[in-house]
Amino acid sequence: MTRRRFHPARAAIAAALAGCLLTVSAGCESARQPARSPAPRTSSPADVCTSLVSYWVKEALKGSKWAGLDWEQKGMSNEQYEIHDDVLVAARAEERGRGREAAFALTDREARRRCEAAKGATGSSENWRPPSEQRVPTSGSRPSPS
């Protein structure tokens, strides 16, 4: 049995070629599968309203320490807060009769229904405006709230 002699130069060349093949292979793999970026998710005013109302009603039902925040701290318009209060009353009654899970389901349904009917319920807050109605200051002054 004859033994081959170790040649450092040949080993270095072999390692370099293996690295090149891996790099080319990875490049080819990524070229075959184009990178996919997730489609931007857009939310309608009704979606935002539903999310806010549902979240805060459920927090109140759970007795969360944050449930006592006011409507501004919760990020709601006045009208959204009215919907919140109405849904919370109904959800508490549902919870007494059928349990918390039923109350959560009612919360989601009623928040969606009420928020869609009110088109997001965004117009009643004095200090909130949809982006299309926001005023841009022209002379360095702040926009008026009215």
Side-chain angles (χ1 to χ4, degrees):
M1 176 191 252
T2 59
R3 251 181 122 173
R4 292 189 171 204
R5 291 184 62 203
F6 177 74
H7 292 285
R10 285 186 190 164
I13 291 171
L17 285 173
C20 287
L21 287 173
L22 287 173
T23 303
V24 169
S25 173
C28 290
E29 185 65 28
S30 65
R32 278 182 265 168
Q33 296 178 353
R36 292 184 183 171
S37 60
R41 186 166 184 249
T42 58
S43 298
S44 70
D47 292 336
V48 173
C49 174
T50 300
S51 177
L52 284 168
V53 170
S54 291
Y55 176 81
W56 287 113
V57 167
K58 290 174 184 176
E59 287 299 297
L61 291 172
K62 292 186 280 187
S64 163
K65 72 177 184 175
W66 302 109
L69 297 174
D70 69 21
W71 62 273
E72 286 181 302
Q73 292 168 317
K74 291 177 179 178
M76 295 183 185
S77 70
N78 295 335
E79 191 176 0
Q80 289 165 345
Y81 197 64
E82 286 178 35
I83 292 171
H84 166 276
D85 286 347
D86 293 345
V87 172
L88 181 56
V89 167
R92 282 190 172 140
E94 184 76 2
E95 183 177 35
R96 283 189 299 275
R98 298 185 52 213
R100 182 164 291 168
E101 289 305 314
F104 283 177
L106 178 130
T107 296
D108 291 336
R109 281 191 317 272
E110 281 302 296
R112 170 62 61 189
R113 184 183 70 76
R114 296 280 306 271
C115 287
E116 284 179 352
K119 295 183 174 51
T122 59
S124 64
S125 179
E126 297 151 11
N127 34 346
W128 187 93
R129 298 209 185 290
S132 62
E133 295 177 17
Q134 288 182 358
R135 298 185 184 140
V136 178
T138 55
S139 63
S141 62
R142 297 180 59 105
S144 69
S146 58

